[in-house]
Structures are given as C-alpha cells and as structure tokens.
Amino acid sequence: MMLTVRELALHDGATHGIGGWMRFSKLRLNGFKSFVDPTDLIIADGLTGVVGPNGCGKSNLLEALRWVMGENRPTAMRGGGMEDVIFAGASTRPARNFAEVSLQLDNSERLAPAGFNDEDTLEVVRRITRDIGSAFKSNGKDVRARDVQMLFADASTGSHSPSLVRQGQIAELINAKPRARRRVLEEAAGISGLYQRRHEAELKLRGAETNLTRVDDVLEQLTAQLASLARQARQAKRYREIGAELRVAEGMLLYRRWKEADQARAEAEAALREMVTAAARGEAGAREAAKAREAAEAAIPPKREEEAIAGAVLQRLTVERDALASQEAAALEAVASLEKRIAQLGHDIERETGLNHDAGETIERLEWEAAEIVKASDGFGDELAQSAEQARGSAAVLQEREEALSKANEDTARLAARHQSAARFLEDAKASAGKIATRREDAEAAVAGAGEALSAAREAFAAAELMEQKAAEEAASSEQALTEAEAARADVQTREAAAHAARSEAEGEASALKAEVQALRRLLDRESSGGAQLLDELDVAPGFEKALG
C-alpha cells in the first residue's frame, strides 16, 4: 500500500529574523476539525516533524497554527464558513459546539511587546462557538484579534507568513512574482511588522488629513457665525436701550394699574361686606318665613285628613244610597211583574175551572146517552152495533177530553205553585222594600251628618289655605330678598375676582419685567466686565445711526 508523506517542520521550534524572538513550545487542539478530543503537539528543541498517511490530519495542524495566529478567511481553512473548523460529528461521535486552539510561546528573554511581556510563558488561545463567534485570549485575558496579529507580525511571522509552508507552496514560491519574493525576503529580514505598522500609520495620517479639512470647514462656518453674532450684538445693544425705556414706561403703567386694582379691590371688599350683611338679614327673614310656613304646613295635614275622611264617608254613603235606590226600583219592578203574573194566573184558573165544568157536564151527558142507548138497544142488534160504534167513537172523544182535562189539571197545579211562589216572593220583596226604606232613611240621616262635617272641614281647610297663602307670600318675599342678596353677593364676588385677576396679571407682568431687568443687567454687567467693546469706541454722526445698525 502506497502512502503519501507530508511533513510539518519547525527548525528549533523558533522563527528567525531581525525581530525574531518567538519560540513555539506546544500546540493544543480541542474540537478543531478532526481533533475532537484534546490533543497536544509538543514542539521540542531541534527538528519536530509529523508523519502520516493522507487524511490523518497533518494539514489540520498547519491550519490550526494559522487559525490561532489570526486567520479570518474561511477559504484558507478549506471551508465555506469559519464555523466549519468545529468538529461536525461522525457516525460514532456527536458534533461539538465549540473549537479551541492554544499556542504556547517561550518568552523567557522578555522580548515580547509591552502588552504581552508580563510572564516567561505566553499562551495565545482562540475559541469559536457556534452562532456566537470567536474570541482571543492571552494568558487568560481577553485581547483583540488585531493585537494577536500584530504580536506575530512583530516576530516576523503570522497566519500569512511564507515560513508556514502548505501543500504546493514550494512550487508557488519558485514561480512567484518579484513582489511576492520581496515579501518573503522582508519577512526573513524581520521587517514585515514595520510594514504593517506603516500601513496603520498611513491610515491614521489619512484620517488626520480628513479631520483637518473638516476643521477648515468648521472655521469658515465659525467666521460666518462670528460676523452674524457681531451684528446681533449691535442689535442687542440697541434693544437694551429701547427695552430700558420701555420697561420704565411699562413699570409706571403697571404701578398705576396696580394702584387702581388695589383701590377697586378695597371698594369691592367694602361692597362685599355690605352685601354679606344684607344677605345675612335676608337669610334671617327667610328662616322666619320658613318657620311660619312649616307651622302652617304642619296644621294643614290634620285638616286635609279630616276632609279626606269626611269625603270618603260621604262617598261611601252616596254609593250605598244609590245602591239602595237601585234595589228599591228593582224590587218595585219585581212586585209589579209578580202582581201581573198573579192576575194572569187567576184568569187562567177561572178558564181552567170553566173547562173542567164543561167537561163534567159533557161526561154526564154522555153517560146519560149511554144509558139511554143501552135501554134502547134491547132487540135492536144492528142499532146496537151502530150504537157500539158510536160509543167507541164517544169513548175515544172521552179519552181525548180526559187527556186534555188531565193536562189542564197539571197546568192548574203548576200555575197554583207559581202563584204561591210569586206570593212568597212578593212578601219577601215587600219585607226587603221595608228594610230598604229603613236603610234609606238611615243613609239620608248619615248623609246629612256627613254634609255638616264636610262643611266644617271645608271651612277649616279654607282657613288653613288662607294661612298657607299668607305663609307662602311671606316665604316668597323672603326668597326674593334672599335672591337679591345672593345676586348682589355674586356681583361683588365677580368684581372681587376680576380685581384679583387684574392684580395677579399686574403682579405677573411686574415679575416678568423684574426678571427681564435682572437678565439684561447680568448681560450688561458681563459685557461691561469683559473689557471695552469695539462698538463702544465708535462715534456716529447724527442721522447715520440706521446705516451703522
């Protein structure tokens, strides 16, 4: 089996050059690409080499060295992103969440830069975490990537140093252009860090030139503002002069207004006291009228109650009288109707009696005729048969007459019963009419008494109404006096409020003028204390003040 061998060699584990002081002692990998477990590479004195077949991870060591020196290009790490350097997992191992590479340097000679020259051993650590990013540490302290890159640049090495030979780089160096060869020579001479610092210095110089240009622009703006401020100062001086005169005039005006407002306030207070006194008198009269009205109102309810009771009694008696009159009329009508029915029953009885008498006579006559027929039937068969036929017809007629008679008897009995019932109802109606007449007399007597009580109650109610009317008139007059007093009081309060408002306004204007005077005085003192002004030295001929302004 053929194996391709690659070698990573560090001669004496150190870099050489003009500024070369750095010696690598150990490289530690944890979770970096194929090195999932913590792995240490000890770089001893002499020649240290790593030998192995293709795919064993020799190139990963070189990339780890470049990465810890500050390499930020994912393509240099043979990946699409910087997080591709983290172990992505395998069939038997889960993926890691971070990768860390640590490089130990020997600083026993203390030739490192000032920020890294505190200890004999210098450890540079770079750690990357998924979705967070990478960070650098030096001996446990957080440092910038720029600081680490400058550290290795000062030692004539770094992530882009030609001394770190990757696969195929020898052929690139043989076929390189002169500029690339010059870069190799400069790094061998130990001046690559100087070029790096020169680049930074050039960037700072360009920034300083830009700032100077901006300063010139600001100076031009300030010059224009200075001219504007000088013009405004002249205007402010004129304003102070006019403002002083105006404030004197306004002060006199405000003082006069204040005096007038104070005088009006005093007059309003005097009028208020008079109105308060009048209001107190009106309130006293109103209280007396209210007491009289309460007394009258207290006397009214018993009278009204008596009137209501008398009215209720009168209404009840009137209703009873009307009911009794209705019952009496109904009883009289029933009596008249029963008398008519009794008379009709008497006529019916007489008619039925006559019919009974006629029926009896007819029966006697028929019996006599039957006897005569029996006597005459002796020896006469045909005549007998004829007579028998006549007798049967007479019997049928007799039966019809008997049925009519029995019906007439039934009607007579029924009419007699109805007559007896009507007689009893008539007697009851007469008795009820007597009772109704008695109750009517009692009701008329009660109505007469209730009328007298109602008249007395109406007289008492009229007297109470008269007293209430007098009390209402007194209360109305008191309320009118109280209303007038309250209106006068409100007027006085309105005038007092207006006076207070005018006084407050005057005091506010005076305070504003005082504040403005103090501000102008401070401004004037500040300007006068700053020394003589150029405008103070100018003398303007009369008539040219506006042109100077």
Side-chain angles (χ1 to χ4, degrees):
M1 182 176 180
M2 297 298 294
L3 298 178
T4 302
V5 179
R6 298 178 184 175
E7 294 183 356
L8 171 64
L10 294 176
H11 183 64
D12 292 335
T15 61
H16 299 280
I18 296 175
W21 56 269
M22 188 176 297
R23 196 175 75 84
F24 301 156
S25 59
K26 185 174 69 173
L27 180 67
R28 182 181 179 84
L29 300 90
N30 184 8
F32 186 86
K33 289 197 172 183
S34 60
F35 295 92
V36 58
D37 295 323
T39 304
D40 294 336
L41 175 61
I42 305 300
I43 305 173
D45 295 337
L47 183 63
T48 301
V50 179
V51 181
N54 292 336
C56 68
K58 299 186 300 296
S59 298
N60 292 342
L61 293 174
L62 180 62
E63 290 172 1
L65 195 59
R66 289 179 180 274
W67 188 67
V68 76
M69 288 183 180
E71 179 61 64
N72 291 321
R73 295 177 302 166
T75 56
M77 298 291 105
R78 295 182 299 169
M82 191 55 69
E83 292 183 357
D84 291 342
V85 302
I86 304 175
F87 178 68
S91 59
T92 58
R93 301 293 297 272
R96 299 292 294 274
N97 193 39
F98 71 95
E100 183 178 279
V101 177
S102 173
L103 180 62
Q104 288 187 2
L105 308 175
D106 185 7
N107 189 31
S108 57
E109 297 180 2
R110 300 297 180 95
L111 298 176
F116 301 90
N117 204 17
D118 297 334
E119 298 180 4
D120 294 339
T121 301
L122 182 61
E123 184 179 15
V124 179
V125 180
R126 184 176 184 180
R127 181 187 179 95
I128 184 171
T129 307
R130 293 187 188 275
D131 301 328
I132 295 178
S134 62
F136 289 88
K137 288 186 177 181
S138 175
N139 290 341
K141 297 180 181 179
D142 293 332
V143 294
R144 299 178 304 173
R146 188 66 178 169
D147 297 335
V148 174
Q149 292 172 358
M150 290 303 299
L151 170 66
F152 290 104
D154 288 339
S156 298
T157 184
S159 60
H160 300 160
S161 175
S163 61
L164 298 178
V165 182
R166 66 180 182 274
Q167 183 179 5
Q169 191 173 1
I170 301 299
E172 292 179 4
L173 290 174
I174 294 172
N175 299 323
K177 296 180 180 181
R179 186 171 182 178
R181 293 178 182 176
R182 179 184 175 184
R183 178 182 165 198
V184 174
L185 296 175
E186 287 176 353
E187 183 172 348
I191 60 175
S192 58
L194 299 178
Y195 279 101
Q196 188 72 20
R197 294 183 182 277
R198 175 187 174 184
H199 178 66
E200 291 184 357
E202 289 177 352
L203 293 177
K204 292 180 180 179
L205 287 174
R206 292 194 190 96
E209 290 177 355
T210 304
N211 292 334
L212 289 174
T213 304
R214 293 184 61 189
V215 167
D216 292 336
D217 296 338
V218 172
L219 287 176
E220 291 178 359
Q221 294 178 0
L222 291 177
T223 303
Q225 292 180 2
L226 183 61
S228 176
L229 290 174
R231 184 170 60 256
Q232 292 177 6
R234 292 192 295 270
Q235 293 176 356
K237 182 178 180 181
R238 179 60 178 167
Y239 171 77
R240 286 197 300 271
E241 294 176 356
I242 297 174
E245 298 176 358
L246 181 62
R247 283 190 294 276
V248 172
E250 288 179 349
M252 295 177 64
L253 177 62
L254 291 175
Y255 179 75
R256 182 177 179 182
R257 288 181 180 177
W258 177 77
K259 291 295 291 181
E260 292 176 355
D262 188 60
Q263 184 177 359
R265 182 187 59 79
E267 294 176 357
E269 289 178 353
L272 177 62
R273 286 194 294 272
E274 294 177 359
M275 293 301 175
V276 169
T277 304
R281 290 197 295 269
E283 288 178 356
R287 286 194 295 272
E288 294 177 358
K291 291 180 180 178
R293 182 177 180 178
E294 291 176 357
E297 289 178 351
I300 288 174
K303 303 296 182 183
R304 288 181 177 174
E305 185 177 0
E306 292 177 0
E307 180 187 7
I309 294 171
V313 172
L314 177 61
Q315 182 69 21
R316 182 173 60 80
L317 294 175
T318 303
V319 171
E320 290 180 357
R321 184 189 64 185
D322 295 339
L324 292 174
S326 300
Q327 293 178 5
E328 182 182 6
L332 292 175
E333 290 178 358
V335 169
S337 176
L338 291 174
E339 287 177 352
K340 289 180 181 180
R341 291 178 65 185
I342 290 170
Q344 183 66 32
L345 289 174
H347 292 304
D348 293 339
I349 290 170
E350 291 177 359
R351 183 173 58 80
E352 294 297 332
T353 303
L355 291 174
N356 290 333
H357 182 68
D358 293 339
E361 290 178 354
T362 302
I363 291 170
E364 290 177 358
R365 185 175 56 80
L366 290 174
E367 289 177 353
W368 178 78
E369 289 179 353
E372 289 296 328
I373 290 170
V374 171
K375 290 178 180 181
S377 64
D378 293 336
F380 299 94
D382 295 333
E383 292 180 359
L384 182 60
Q386 186 178 1
S387 298
E389 184 68 26
Q390 291 179 357
R392 282 193 296 271
S394 299
V397 173
L398 178 61
Q399 186 177 358
E400 293 178 359
R401 295 292 178 88
E402 286 179 354
E403 291 177 358
L405 180 61
S406 62
K407 186 181 292 186
N409 290 332
E410 291 177 0
D411 292 339
T412 301
R414 186 169 60 254
L415 291 173
R418 292 176 63 184
H419 177 70
Q420 292 176 1
S421 176
R424 286 195 301 270
F425 185 76
L426 180 61
E427 290 177 0
D428 294 339
K430 288 181 179 180
S432 178
K435 292 180 180 180
I436 289 171
T438 303
R439 292 178 63 184
R440 182 176 181 182
E441 292 176 358
D442 296 338
E444 289 179 352
V447 167
E452 294 177 357
L454 180 62
S455 300
R458 286 179 177 175
E459 292 177 358
F461 182 71
E465 285 184 346
L466 182 60
M467 293 177 64
E468 181 181 7
Q469 185 176 2
K470 291 181 180 179
E473 291 176 356
E474 293 178 358
S477 60
S478 300
E479 289 179 355
Q480 183 177 3
L482 179 60
T483 303
E484 293 176 356
E486 289 181 351
R489 180 179 180 181
D491 187 14
V492 171
Q493 289 179 350
T494 303
R495 293 173 60 188
E496 182 183 7
H500 281 302
R503 179 179 180 182
S504 300
E505 184 179 359
E507 290 178 351
E509 292 179 357
S511 300
L513 290 174
K514 288 180 180 178
E516 188 174 359
V517 167
Q518 292 177 0
L520 292 173
R521 183 178 291 112
R522 287 196 298 269
L523 180 61
L524 184 60
D525 293 340
R526 185 171 63 250
E527 291 182 355
S528 61
S529 61
Q533 302 293 327
L534 182 59
L535 289 177
D536 296 337
E537 303 297 331
L538 293 178
D539 294 330
V540 183
F544 292 93
E545 294 85 359
K546 187 174 182 181
L548 178 62

